[in-house]
């Protein structure tokens, strides 16, 4: 029998099974309904009423989401209120009703098409995606033309949520730990809002499926395999059983791994290591701590900007950092300053499209060109350092001059705060990311100027191997075990150890078991990663002697290709140290055989 299996991007691991639920979507009319001249005032009134109901809806939803998920998650609705109140939007709708003698449905439909065209022509990917917010608002108005003020009923039974895309507001509203068993979308990727939210709520999710919303019918049984990025539609009983077993295995594995959260982070020969979390939203902190994170090794602060229509104020920054500092207590939080540019852009500023954004005005280069923004962020971080342990991390450093400039600026902001009598941690450590090969080569020099370094292997590999990290055509060349990469990473770790300064790896390499063993062998002690990987890495590092990892790492340096390194390290672990990969139960079963 043919089984429909769809492949997508597994963005939140785990297996979910259940009945599909496809939220009803507003389809804009393609029919222009003409009204008599004397009905125009009534039609304008109808539009006004729908706008008022929409405003009430948005305020109500905003309050509900704020209560459920905190103030940051409700920001999107503030943005929607701003769109709703935009005079050019409302004026445009009224003009169509008046000038074309058309019903409001047509005016909304026309506005949607016009905005779609306008946004599609924008060169910037982030801007282009903002069409979803405008469409979100227009659809609410459309719905409110008929349905009256009662809120849209949300499902009350467990379901697998299937949709073309989820607007950020829909994701915040619809994803529920109790009722959403899994999520599958046509659109989206690892860093989309839905992905981040699904991960932090522990809901299995597969995104980027292209046309799942057309392939599945409401009520149909589906399996979501968020671990392997697969969806199975209406599977026969044997396949259901297979996935049920996989689900149980995964959940047992997860339960067992989570037990490591309370165990000491040390290798078999008692060498201490520190697992930390990479997070993008303060909402992720609880999950991170439950997974055993000993602090936040990387807070990607650009998300403070990306969630707002306007620039964040110093207080917006400050509130987020204080929340993180308190939540991560007694461990610390490393705030990375704005890493904008490249694939992430700031809608609030008219950043010009660059011919080669990955090599353009991104990260620290942008911050040093926009001093006011940078000072605002540094002031907020410093002030928040009075509430808990904090470190500042600057991305994309290429040369020592940048570090000297930042240090001057940092000192100047400190003086300003002292003058104002504001409290802050005078000893707050300042560090830089090592993610440009030049910075790696210059690590010993940079280390003289800073308190710590953090190796961003995602960008370091991209720039060192000349492989775009987001380009699926060259993914096969993105090799963390490339001999050149491991040599370079080792040299940075060694430089930091010689300088007696802290070194962290915060790229994906820290979250992969064989690479983490090699990094441990090179002398790394702090591993920062997506929280969901912490138990696995902690378990692996607790299952091996550091001296063994050192031998494996040393041997791996003698090999010539990425494949040789990968095979050698994996086989060495599988054959001689299988406990690294196995959980307690599985290990017991294996040794009984
Ligand atoms: C990196 O480059 O490895 C990193 C951790 O930063 P980001 O993924 O945010 O660029
Ligand atoms: Mg980076």
């Amino acid at each position: 029998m043919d089984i429909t299996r769809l492949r997508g991007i597994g963005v939140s691991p785990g297996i979910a099974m259940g009945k599909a639920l496809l939220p009803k979507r507003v389809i804009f009319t393609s029919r222009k309904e003409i009204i008599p001249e004397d009905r125009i005032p009534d039609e304008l009134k109808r539009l006004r009423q729908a706008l008022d109901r929409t405003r009430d809806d948005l305020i109500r939803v905003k309050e509900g989401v704020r209560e459920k998920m905190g103030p940051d998650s409700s920001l999107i609705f503030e943005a929607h209120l701003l769109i709703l109140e935009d005079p050019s939007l409302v004026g445009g709708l009224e003009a169509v009703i008046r000038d074309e003698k058309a019903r409001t449905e047509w005016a909304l439909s026309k506005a949607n098409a016009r905005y779609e065209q306008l946004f599609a022509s924008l060169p910037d990917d982030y801007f282009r995606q903002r069409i979803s917010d405008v469409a979100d608002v227009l659809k609410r108005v459309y719905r409110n033309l008929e349905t009256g003020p009662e809120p849209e009923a949300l499902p009350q039974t467990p379901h697998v949520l299937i949709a073309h895309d989820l607007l950020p507001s829909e994701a915040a509203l619809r994803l529920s730990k109790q009722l959403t068993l899994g999520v599958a979308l046509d659109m989206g990727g690892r860093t989309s809002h839905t992905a981040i939210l699904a991960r932090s709520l522990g809901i299995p999710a597969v995104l980027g499926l292209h046309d799942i919303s057309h392939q599945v019918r409401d009520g149909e049984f589906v399996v979501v395999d968020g671990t392997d990025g697969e969806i199975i539609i209406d599977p026969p009983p044997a396949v259901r059983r297979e996935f049920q077993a996989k689900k149980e295995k995964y959940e047992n594995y997860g339960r067992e791994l989570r037990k490591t959260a309370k165990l000491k982070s040390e290798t078999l020969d008692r060498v201490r290591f520190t697992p930390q979390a990479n997070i993008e939203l303060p909402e992720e902190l609880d999950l991170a701590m439950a997974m055993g994170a000993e602090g936040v090794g990387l807070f990607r602060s650009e998300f403070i900007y990306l969630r707002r229509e306007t620039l964040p104020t110093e207080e917006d920054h400050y509130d987020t950092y204080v929340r993180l500092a308190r939540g991560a207590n007694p461990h610390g939080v490393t705030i990375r300053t704005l890493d904008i540019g490249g694939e992430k852009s700031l809608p609030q500023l008219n950043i010009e499209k660059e011919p080669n954004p990955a090599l353009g005005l991104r990260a620290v280069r942008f911050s040093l060109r926009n001093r006011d923004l940078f000072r605002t962020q540094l002031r907020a971080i410093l002030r928040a350092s009075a509430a808990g342990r904090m470190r500042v991390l600057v991305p994309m450093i290429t040369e020592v001059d940048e570090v000297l400039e930042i240090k001057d600026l940092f000192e100047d902001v400190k003086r300003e705060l002292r003058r104002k009598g504001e409290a802050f941690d005078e000893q707050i450590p300042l560090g830089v990311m090592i993610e440009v090969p030049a910075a790696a080569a210059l690590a010993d020099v940079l280390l003289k100027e800073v308190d710590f370094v953090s190796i961003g292997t995602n960008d370091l590999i991209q720039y060192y191997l000349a492989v775009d990290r987001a380009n699926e055509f060259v993914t096969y060349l993105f090799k963390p075990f490339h001999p050149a990469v491991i040599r370079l990473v080792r040299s940075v770790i060694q430089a930091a150890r010689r300088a007696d300064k802290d070194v962290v790896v915060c790229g994906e390499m820290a979250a992969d078991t064989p690479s983490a063993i090699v990094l441990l062998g090179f002398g790394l002690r702090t591993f920062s990663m997506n929280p969901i990987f912490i138990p696995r890495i902690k378990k692996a590092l607790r299952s091996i002697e550091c001296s063994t990892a050192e031998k494996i790492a040393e041997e791996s340096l003698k090999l010539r290709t990425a494949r040789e390194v990968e095979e050698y390290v994996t086989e060495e672990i599988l054959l001689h140290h299988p406990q690294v990969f196995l959980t307690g139960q599985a290990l017991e079963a294996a040794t009984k055989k």
Side-chain angles (χ1 to χ4, degrees), residues 278 280 298 300 302 336 339 343-344 362 433 435 455-460 469 506-508:
N278 292 352
E280 278 105 21
L298 174 66
R300 293 183 164 104
E302 44 280 7
R336 182 175 71 186
D339 187 4
E343 73 287 353
K344 302 170 220 147
R362 58 173 290 201
M433 297 273 295
E435 48 188 352
I455 309 175
T457 52
N458 308 340
D459 276 316
L460 187 59
R469 60 190 265 190
C506 65
E508 296 296 319

Side-chain angles (χ1 to χ4, degrees), residues 247-530:
K247 178 172 157 53
E248 277 159 26
K249 208 161 128 198
Y250 177 81
E251 284 169 2
N252 281 339
Y253 180 64
R255 263 194 294 279
E256 226 175 301
L257 279 182
R258 272 173 201 233
K259 287 186 203 153
T260 63
K262 297 192 184 67
L263 302 176
K264 248 192 183 166
S265 299
E266 61 179 29
T267 62
L268 286 180
D269 49 353
R270 313 231 151 196
V271 174
R272 295 277 312 187
F273 61 89
T274 312
Q276 293 189 326
N278 292 352
I279 62 173
E280 278 105 21
L281 306 172
E283 287 89 333
E284 291 179 281
L285 192 59
D286 288 350
L287 175 81
M289 303 313 272
M291 291 289 188
E294 295 172 29
V296 173
L298 174 66
F299 176 67
R300 293 183 164 104
S301 69
E302 44 280 7
F303 282 79
I304 299 181
Y305 295 77
L306 295 175
R307 294 175 110 189
R308 283 174 172 77
E309 291 288 296
T310 51
L311 282 172
T313 62
E314 185 178 324
E315 291 316 297
D316 292 332
H317 280 288
Y318 175 78
D319 290 348
T320 306
Y321 304 149
V322 167
R323 189 170 161 199
L324 288 169
R326 294 203 176 121
N329 239 344
H331 310 290
V333 178
T334 302
I335 308 284
R336 182 175 71 186
T337 60
L338 186 59
D339 187 4
I340 214 73
E343 73 287 353
K344 302 170 220 147
S345 165
L346 258 189
Q348 302 92 327
L349 295 170
N350 268 328
I351 301 179
E352 276 197 36
K353 177 90 179 145
E354 295 174 300
N356 201 343
L359 304 181
L361 194 69
R362 58 173 290 201
V364 67
R365 304 169 184 181
F366 177 87
S367 293
L368 287 173
R369 275 284 196 93
N370 293 275
R371 299 278 171 127
D372 287 348
L373 283 186
F374 198 22
R375 288 185 75 103
T376 302
Q377 181 168 31
L378 291 177
R379 250 193 325 266
I381 300 174
L382 279 167
R383 284 174 50 216
S385 70
R389 282 179 58 199
M390 220 156 233
R391 311 204 291 185
V392 186
L393 176 62
V394 185
M396 276 284 289
I397 291 289
T398 313
E399 54 179 22
V400 84
D401 293 343
E402 285 165 335
V403 181
L404 298 178
E405 243 181 295
I406 287 159
K407 283 172 74 176
D408 278 350
L409 194 69
F410 202 38
E411 286 310 312
D412 198 47
V413 176
K414 285 183 188 171
R415 277 192 293 274
E416 182 191 333
L417 290 179
R418 279 187 212 109
R419 263 199 314 274
K420 288 185 181 160
E422 297 260 18
F424 65 89
D425 173 9
E426 289 278 354
Q427 310 302 326
I428 184 169
L430 175 70
V432 292
M433 297 273 295
I434 304 289
E435 48 188 352
V436 175
L442 211 60
D444 55 334
V445 179
L446 295 171
L447 275 153
K448 291 203 173 78
E449 301 298 334
V450 294
D451 302 304
F452 70 100
V453 291
S454 187
I455 309 175
T457 52
N458 308 340
D459 276 316
L460 187 59
I461 296 171
Q462 149 162 283
Y463 293 125
Y464 201 33
L465 301 184
V467 177
D468 182 346
R469 60 190 265 190
N471 180 344
E472 69 220 53
F473 296 111
V474 287
T475 309
Y476 71 101
L477 289 171
F478 194 92
K479 295 175 180 167
F481 274 139
H482 190 300
V485 172
I486 56 173
R487 286 175 196 207
L488 189 69
V489 170
R490 174 175 172 264
S491 73
V492 178
I493 296 172
Q494 287 195 333
R497 291 190 64 124
R498 271 198 299 273
D500 201 19
K501 302 253 166 104
D502 192 20
V503 52
V504 184
V505 167
C506 65
E508 296 296 319
M509 240 178 126
D512 170 72
T513 303
S515 356
I517 300 278
V518 170
L519 293 172
L520 178 77
F522 287 158
L524 186 78
R525 299 294 176 259
T526 312
F527 302 75
S528 195
M529 67 202 83
N530 186 314

Side-chain angles (χ1 to χ4, degrees), residues 127-158:
F127 265 131
R128 266 199 307 278
Q129 291 185 18
R130 308 303 292 181
I131 181 60
S132 61
D133 289 316
V134 179
D136 196 346
V137 173
L138 291 175
K139 282 176 186 171
R140 271 183 196 279
V141 180
Y142 201 108
R143 234 182 262 134
N144 276 325
L145 286 172
E146 303 299 346
T147 53
E150 76 273 10
E152 191 200 348
L154 287 174
Q156 296 304 316
T157 49

